Amino acid sequence: MSTIVVGVDGSEGSKEALRFALDEARSRGADLKVVGAWHIPAVVYQAGWVPASVDLECYPDLAQQALDEALAEVDVEASGVKATTVVTQGQAADVLCAEAKGADLLVVGSRGLGGFRGLMLGSVSQQCAHHAPCALAIVPGGADST
């Protein structure tokens, strides 16, 4: 059975990528692996101070919540496609490329939650373009994504 891996961070771009990946999985008879990545921002450790009430345990929960909300919004459950979820600590591109080993396709949105909205291609999609271990689809966002 073939597998399609898709990265989801809760952004509109990642939801578009999820829709694309779901359609591809349905048409190919493939399984879907929906991946979320999380990391603790460097500012927590490197700034010499910790922002008030930082709960270090909340990061994986927030990543899982973003994944669950995207799955519900896109209605993956009703699609008939077998979908599994993975939430892993690490930089998004590294996690996605690792999870895509052995997959037939890695799908990412062109823009995610990163801070540089004017870029045509986000840093995660760009890194995946350089390092993906399988075919890669970068799904463009709508007019509001840039």
Side-chain angles (χ1 to χ4, degrees):
M1 178 63 69
S2 60
T3 301
I4 296 175
V5 175
V6 59
V8 174
D9 65 3
S11 67
E12 289 305 313
S14 74
K15 291 174 192 172
E16 287 300 316
L18 179 57
R19 287 181 186 93
F20 178 90
L22 184 60
D23 287 344
E24 282 295 307
R26 192 179 302 119
S27 69
R28 296 178 186 209
D31 292 340
L32 189 63
K33 185 191 290 188
V34 185
V35 179
W38 64 273
H39 71 278
I40 298 170
V43 69
V44 171
Y45 295 111
Q46 297 173 345
W49 58 274
V50 176
S53 69
V54 172
D55 179 5
L56 299 180
E57 300 300 317
C58 75
Y59 292 101
D61 294 339
L62 292 172
Q64 185 66 54
Q65 180 181 352
L67 219 77
D68 292 343
E69 289 173 2
L71 290 168
E73 183 176 326
V74 175
D75 204 9
V76 171
E77 190 174 316
S79 71
V81 171
K82 179 183 174 195
T84 58
T85 62
V86 176
V87 175
T88 302
Q89 181 178 9
Q91 296 297 322
D94 295 338
V95 169
L96 290 170
C97 289
E99 291 293 333
K101 287 182 180 159
D104 297 297
L105 179 65
L106 171 60
V107 181
V108 295
S110 61
R111 297 285 310 130
L113 294 175
F116 299 104
R117 294 182 56 82
L119 296 176
M120 294 297 289
L121 193 63
S123 61
V124 172
S125 52
Q126 188 172 45
Q127 287 297 311
C128 288
H130 290 286
H131 302 290
C134 60
L136 172 70
I138 301 174
V139 179
D144 293 336
S145 67
T146 57

